[in-house]
Amino acid sequence: MNEVLKKGFLLGIGAAVTSKEKLDQRLKALVDKNELSQDEARSVMQTYMDKGEMKKDEWSAKQYEQTQKMAKDLGLATKEDINELRARITELETKLGQNSEL
């Protein structure tokens, strides 16, 4: 499963890089034809980059949710589960320590 996620991630990166390069070429052509100013081209590119960053954040959140769901479906303990168990162990050790002193 990990390999599938890795390939999907790499595919997405490849598509993003190709799209950015094509957009960059298209913006340069528009600037060369004086159909777009240099500042407007930068603004368009920044907007594109901002949207890409938002999508990356959305993808990361979805990836996290899917991983959590998969771990739950497989019966794996989450970090929260482990921390709760540690707290309970510490509490029980404290109680046992108090009882052994009596």
Side-chain angles (χ1 to χ4, degrees):
M1 184 65 172
N2 191 20
E3 192 63 28
V4 171
L5 293 174
K6 182 179 175 183
K7 286 181 180 180
F9 179 71
L10 293 175
L11 179 64
I13 289 175
V17 168
T18 300
S19 296
K20 181 191 176 292
E21 289 172 352
K22 287 185 179 189
L23 177 63
D24 196 32
Q25 290 171 356
R26 182 67 180 137
L27 290 174
K28 186 176 180 338
L30 290 172
V31 169
D32 290 345
K33 293 179 187 176
N34 288 324
E35 294 179 16
L36 201 61
S37 74
Q38 199 68 298
D39 287 340
E40 290 170 327
R42 272 192 281 269
S43 177
V44 169
M45 184 58 81
Q46 187 60 48
T47 300
Y48 175 82
M49 299 299 284
D50 291 345
K51 285 183 181 181
E53 189 67 30
M54 280 187 353
K55 288 295 179 185
K56 181 190 80 145
D57 292 344
E58 287 176 25
W59 188 85
S60 293
K62 286 180 184 179
Q63 176 66 28
Y64 179 79
E65 289 172 13
Q66 285 180 327
T67 303
Q68 292 290 40
K69 183 182 179 309
M70 197 180 323
K72 184 178 179 182
D73 290 347
L74 292 171
L76 301 176
T78 64
K79 191 175 189 177
E80 292 82 20
D81 294 335
I82 293 170
N83 287 338
E84 285 177 24
L85 288 172
R86 285 183 178 146
R88 288 178 62 193
I89 290 169
T90 301
E91 182 182 336
L92 290 171
E93 287 173 340
T94 302
K95 286 180 181 180
L96 284 173
Q98 289 172 354
N99 287 338
S100 65
E101 292 175 3
L102 296 175

